[in-house]
Amino acid sequence: MKVTDILEVDGCQLVEPSFAELTIDSCTALLFRAVPDEGRLLVDEDEEPLALALHDDEGWHVASFLFRDPTLAAIECFEAVGGEIYQESREAWLSAVREYYSLDICRNVHPALEDLRPDREGKIRDLLDEVWGNRAGTPCLDCCCGSGVGTAALRAGGVRALAYDNDPALLALGLTRGRLAPSDTMCIDAQEASCYVTPVPLGAAFMAGEIYSYNTGLWEPIITGLLALTDETLITVGTEAEAARVEGWCKEEGRDTEVFENQRDPIYDRWCCVARRM
């Protein structure tokens, strides 16, 4: 389902420049670029505001309230111009908004060069079978998904993978190659994932790093943030030293943690850390 389908208007534009900016309160003011003559308010199943669409001489403009509250000025404007109230589930609107920004990336970002080994997806799938077995239908976060090889492997096993990364060129590659699903992909800072994602049973980060002593300030909050959002977490890295750092972070977060060497590939996903809530 698309944004335009839910609001029943063609050509509407979200005022937030990117998915990551959906949390910024000041974006709501971008609705009022001209004097509106019609409005539409979208509410969720609990009748909480999800979005406000205003029409002016330039067309329809929409502000999304998935991750922030509407301003009093926005509500008063809707009441002043009048219009219809629509209702949709929060999940349906969120999926539509993710798809909107994913397709925007496809249109406007040149994809990164393909560097995926043809056999890597199959090797990840085999690793997932070993670690989790059949978890079809279970939601899973794919943290720092890159161009989506891990996401594709998860989806091949029937897992619903919600993927995020902060590199639009890699996301563009994964989206155009079909490894990433537009409605389940987000371009965000992984350190801020909890602002956009609710907890799910499973989480993964394939080839996290490279993790050194000088960049632990970047990777530790990414990993601990993923742990906080998931009950069972699989993190793969390239070296034993990286695995030891990740293991330490997992144990500090109170997780039951197992580290093992994965010999399916000499480089990729060589060392694995599996962390579970106790």
Side-chain angles (χ1 to χ4, degrees), residues 132-148:
W132 284 334
N134 182 5
R135 302 301 290 270
T138 307
C140 179
L141 301 181
D142 186 4
C143 172
C144 300
C145 64
S147 67

Side-chain angles (χ1 to χ4, degrees), residues 74-92:
I75 298 301
E76 289 179 341
C77 180
F78 172 72
E79 292 174 346
V81 301
E84 298 180 75
I85 297 178
Y86 291 74
Q87 189 169 34
E88 186 55 84
S89 71
R90 182 168 290 267
E91 180 55 36

